[in-house]
């Protein structure tokens, strides 16, 4: 039905995206997912109220992200100081655009870069676009949690020795589960060989603001890093930073690639939220993080015997404890006899809590300075109640054994690289049923999402074993990018 309001026709709009978002807001679901402002809670009502008016463009006085000399440059300088970097650049297209720019700054086409295999897919696509060949190092694997954990200094040393012409090393730290590598040791090694260390610190933008958190990449000696502010700080989606840590980075080249890989219409909503997130963290971040870490510890203690479900530093069974982000809550449900996909659904439907993601065994909750005490308490209460309700479930071992296990079943060996990664970018391809794809070469990245780390990279040989793993993840309820709903996969012709 049409009505006239202020000279405008108002009617029920046909807006599937907006309608679904409104439904989510009205459901009162508690978000333990990104963005880190947690539906505005961490940003304050004044700012949130003015959002539509903040969405401006490069009018006089508002500077220009592509060539910043005014307020944007001022804000970037303030961020550099807060994050203890030599220089900082604001990103409005996520860490993805920063990763692309970093790869193109460090390497020229035909060169190679050592990267951890558990990298985000943007690392692979960034290298394909830049014509750079990845040399993979395998992370350690936590057999019980079924996840990759950290990169050892020894594995980097070996990769550097075997690939002396590699331009540098690009590592993901922390990973999606909050586990970090020893970057201080790794950076010393890399610099002793005259190479560059770049870190995808997408999940660690908060590290600089509290000593109870792992050492931030720049402090550990990284030459450059990227951080998704929107993941763990009160900033809007796509807001990210590139921090430069040393003179080994050609900043002129970096600036020009940032322009190439980013929109020419940068959002002032995103940029101003990057500025605000920095100010909040610089002035009150340490206090808020102290409070958050204490609340989480209290929650963990309230789990009693169920504390064994949590990923903790001592979960590392051999050698030293894990270097772990205490704000990342990872619950392993293997003992409960269900997949984490099911557990995530139960927690959402029964307790109105939405996790960030789950894999076969683990649910990951992102907490930030925007979360309140009651929110954290409600989260732990829901986990305890779910665990109690499932504790009596029968026949758990049988179910567990049918699931593929990282470390035991896959990802310890690298697939064979049949064609160079970037050569697949414009290669002819065909869609093939995954059941017939053994022996063919993958055209795309095939990765469970989230976390988005590849099982297969472009140019790699598909084997029966890899097909089995992909199918088992899909059957267990997981999403695998690179395989469509009809179970087709793109293979090089
Ligand atoms: C480890 C890692 N790196 C990079 C990215 C890309 O970040 P963005 O979404 O900010 O582009 C992600 C996204 O989830 C990620 O998990």
């Amino acid at each position: 039905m049409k009505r006239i309001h202020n000279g405008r026709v108002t009617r029920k709009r046909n807006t599937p995206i907006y309608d679904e978002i409104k439904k989510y807001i009205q459901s009162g679901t508690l978000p333990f997912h990104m963005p880190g402002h947690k539906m505005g809670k961490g940003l304050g009502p004044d700012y949130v109220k003015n959002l539509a008016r903040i969405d401006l463009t490069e009018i006089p006085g508002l500077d220009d992200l592509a060539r910043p000399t005014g307020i944007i440059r001022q804000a970037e300088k303030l961020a550099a100081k807060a994050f203890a970097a030599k220089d900082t650049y604001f990103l409005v297209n996520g860490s993805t655009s920063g990763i692309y720019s970093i790869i193109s700054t460090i390497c020229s086409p035909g060169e190679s870069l050592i990267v951890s295999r558990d990298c985000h897919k943007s690392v692979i696509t960034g290298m394909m676009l830049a014509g750079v060949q990845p040399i993979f190092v395998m992370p350690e694997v936590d057999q019980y949690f079924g996840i990759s954990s950290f990169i050892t200094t020894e594995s980097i040393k070996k990769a550097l020795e075997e690939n002396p012409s590699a331009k540098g090393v690009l590592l993901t730290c922390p990973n999606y589960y909050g586990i970090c590598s020893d970057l201080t040791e790794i950076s010393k090694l890399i610099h002793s060989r005259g190479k560059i260390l770049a870190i995808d610190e997408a999940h660690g933008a908060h590290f600089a603001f509290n000593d109870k958190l792992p050492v931030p990449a720049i402090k550990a000696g990284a030459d450059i890093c990227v951080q998704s502010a929107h993941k763990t700080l009160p900033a809007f989606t796509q807001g990210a930073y590139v921090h430069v840590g040393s003179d080994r980075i050609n900043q002129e080249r970096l600036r020009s690639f940032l322009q190439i890989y980013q929109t020419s219409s940068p959002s002032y909503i995103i940029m101003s939220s990057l500025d605000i997130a920095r100010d909040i963290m610089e002035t009150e971040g340490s206090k808020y993080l102290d409070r958050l870490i204490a609340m989480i510890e209290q929650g963990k203690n309230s789990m009693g015997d169920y504390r064994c479900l949590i990923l903790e530093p001592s979960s590392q069974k051999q050698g030293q404890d894990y270097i772990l982000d205490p704000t990342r809550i990872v619950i392993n449900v293997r003992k409960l006899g269900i997949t984490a996909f099911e557990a995530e659904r139960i927690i959402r439907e029964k307790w109105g809590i939405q996790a960030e993601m789950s894999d076969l065994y683990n649910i990951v909750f992102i907490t930030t300075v925007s979360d309140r005490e009651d929110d954290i308490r409600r989260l732990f209460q829901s986990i305890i109640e779910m665990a109690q309700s499932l504790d009596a479930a029968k026949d758990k071992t049988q179910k567990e054994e049918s699931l593929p296990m990282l470390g035991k079943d896959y990802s310890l060996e690298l697939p064979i690289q049949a064609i160079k990664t970037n050569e697949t970018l414009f290669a002819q391809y065909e869609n093939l049923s995954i059941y017939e794809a053994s022996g063919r070469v993958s055209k795309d990245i095939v990765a469970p999402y989230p976390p988005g780390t590849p099982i297969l990279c472009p140019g790699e040989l598909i084997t029966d074993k890899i097909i089995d793993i992909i199918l088992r993840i899909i059957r267990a309820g997981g999403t695998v990018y690179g395989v469509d709903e009809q179970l087709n996969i793109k293979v090089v012709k």
Side-chain angles (χ1 to χ4, degrees):
M1 193 182 63
K2 285 183 188 172
R3 278 182 294 147
I4 306 290
H5 177 70
N6 278 349
R8 287 183 182 208
V9 175
T10 61
R11 56 176 170 77
K12 169 92 183 73
R13 297 189 190 281
N14 183 13
T15 50
I17 296 176
Y18 184 49
D19 293 352
E20 197 58 31
I21 290 173
K22 272 199 301 190
K23 239 195 275 169
Y24 186 66
I25 295 168
Q26 281 156 8
S27 74
T29 303
L30 194 53
F32 283 100
H33 52 73
M34 52 186 89
H37 60 76
K38 302 293 177 100
M39 302 175 89
K41 266 188 297 192
L43 283 165
D46 283 352
Y47 179 68
V48 173
K49 198 172 66 199
N50 279 317
L51 269 191
R53 286 194 282 188
I54 292 169
D55 189 21
L56 290 162
T57 187
E58 292 100 337
I59 49 176
L62 292 196
D63 209 2
D64 179 357
L65 182 65
R67 278 165 279 113
T69 52
I71 55 168
I72 295 176
R73 195 65 191 129
Q74 216 179 314
E76 288 180 334
K77 291 283 181 201
L78 287 168
K81 187 166 157 280
F83 288 89
K86 274 182 75 71
D87 215 334
T88 291
Y89 297 93
F90 281 10
L91 303 174
V92 291
N93 294 94
S95 283
T96 300
S97 60
I99 287 168
Y100 288 2
S101 306
I102 289 172
I103 291 168
S104 295
T105 300
I106 300 175
C107 299
S108 295
E111 292 182 333
S112 61
L113 193 60
I114 295 168
V115 298
S116 45
R117 179 67 179 191
D118 64 344
C119 62
H120 185 256
K121 63 191 176 72
S122 58
V123 172
I124 308 297
T125 44
M127 297 179 96
M128 290 168 74
L129 289 169
V132 175
Q133 185 59 32
I135 296 161
F136 292 112
V137 282
M138 295 305 282
E140 298 299 291
V141 164
D142 186 303
Q143 295 261 351
Y144 183 75
F145 281 80
I147 58 177
S148 59
S149 50
F150 58 92
I151 300 283
T152 63
T153 312
E154 290 70 38
S155 64
I156 301 287
K157 195 171 170 194
K158 186 162 173 278
L160 286 168
E161 272 157 16
E162 287 171 0
N163 303 278
S165 62
K167 291 304 291 265
V169 178
L170 169 52
L171 301 178
T172 307
C173 182
N175 67 12
Y176 226 115
Y177 303 89
I179 305 179
C180 298
S181 306
D182 186 344
L183 292 187
T184 310
E185 199 179 86
I186 290 173
S187 86
K188 276 188 206 136
L189 167 74
I190 290 170
H191 293 146
S192 74
R193 306 291 163 96
K195 308 284 181 187
I196 289 174
L197 174 61
I199 300 295
D200 172 359
E201 201 175 34
H203 291 267
H206 54 306
F207 285 4
F209 303 101
N210 193 297
D211 290 343
K212 296 188 183 86
L213 299 175
V215 180
I218 291 295
K219 194 171 172 194
D223 298 292
I224 191 163
C225 78
V226 65
Q227 298 173 334
S228 295
H230 66 96
K231 294 193 201 302
T232 61
L233 303 184
F236 282 114
T237 299
Q238 293 187 204
Y241 306 110
V242 166
H243 301 301
V244 177
S246 81
D247 291 333
R248 292 182 197 91
I249 301 300
N250 179 342
Q251 289 199 52
E252 205 173 300
R253 184 162 163 152
L254 174 66
R255 275 192 292 269
S256 75
F257 278 110
L258 287 171
Q259 272 193 52
I260 291 170
Y261 288 123
Q262 294 210 88
T263 174
S264 59
S265 309
S267 157
Y268 277 82
I269 294 183
I270 296 174
M271 288 188 285
S272 60
S273 80
L274 287 172
D275 203 14
I276 288 176
R278 183 270 312 152
D279 182 68
I280 292 173
M281 296 310 288
E282 194 177 21
T283 54
E284 288 150 309
S286 176
K287 181 180 73 189
Y288 290 162
L289 284 163
D290 266 342
R291 201 188 57 189
L292 177 67
I293 294 164
M295 287 182 319
I296 291 171
E297 194 47 42
Q298 213 176 13
K300 286 180 179 174
N301 289 337
S302 74
M303 288 184 69
D305 286 349
Y306 293 119
R307 189 167 175 138
C308 66
L309 304 177
I310 303 171
L311 177 66
E312 299 210 81
S314 59
S315 302
Q316 154 82 326
K317 294 291 178 245
Q318 294 124 20
Q320 288 179 337
D321 280 0
Y322 283 135
I323 305 170
L324 209 56
D325 172 7
T327 72
R328 192 60 53 110
I329 301 173
V330 179
I331 302 293
N332 181 289
V333 297
R334 280 180 72 183
K335 283 199 165 73
L336 303 179
I338 55 170
T339 66
F341 303 124
E342 288 173 76
E344 182 188 326
R345 182 186 54 76
I346 293 171
I347 286 181
R348 178 175 56 246
E349 290 178 1
K350 267 193 146 169
W351 285 279
I353 288 175
Q354 180 59 54
E356 164 64 19
M357 69 127 173
S358 46
D359 58 31
L360 286 169
Y361 296 111
N362 312 291
I363 321 176
V364 178
F365 300 93
I366 294 183
T367 69
T368 72
V369 294
S370 311
D371 291 309
R372 305 282 178 258
E373 205 166 337
D374 280 354
D375 305 341
I376 302 288
R377 215 176 290 126
R378 187 169 140 195
L379 171 62
F380 278 99
Q381 196 53 36
S382 75
I383 298 166
I384 292 167
E385 287 179 26
M386 178 190 65
Q388 281 168 345
S389 68
L390 290 167
D391 204 20
K394 300 278 180 312
D395 208 9
K396 290 168 199 163
T397 37
Q398 190 195 350
K399 213 165 190 180
E400 202 173 282
E401 274 166 13
S402 69
L403 299 174
M405 190 70 195
L406 184 67
K408 187 151 80 59
D409 294 328
Y410 71 102
S411 247
L412 272 185
E413 294 155 33
L414 277 172
I416 293 166
Q417 185 85 46
I419 301 175
K420 278 189 167 179
T421 315
N422 67 304
E423 281 172 13
T424 63
L425 197 56
F426 301 107
Q428 297 284 316
Y429 68 91
E430 59 184 318
N431 277 304
L432 212 60
S433 162
I434 192 162
Y435 296 101
E436 297 162 24
S438 187
R440 302 294 298 267
V441 173
S442 183
K443 160 82 170 72
D444 280 347
I445 296 170
V446 178
Y449 205 92
T453 56
I455 291 178
L456 270 172
C457 281
E460 289 179 347
L461 196 66
I462 305 167
T463 62
D464 288 340
K465 193 171 167 186
I466 290 170
I467 292 170
D468 178 54
I469 292 157
I470 293 168
L471 288 173
R472 282 159 73 186
I473 293 173
I474 292 171
R475 283 190 203 120
T479 303
V480 179
Y481 276 16
V483 181
D484 71 16
E485 280 168 12
Q486 284 72 46
L487 297 183
N488 291 323
I489 186 167
K490 287 189 173 65
V491 297
V492 176
K493 264 190 180 168

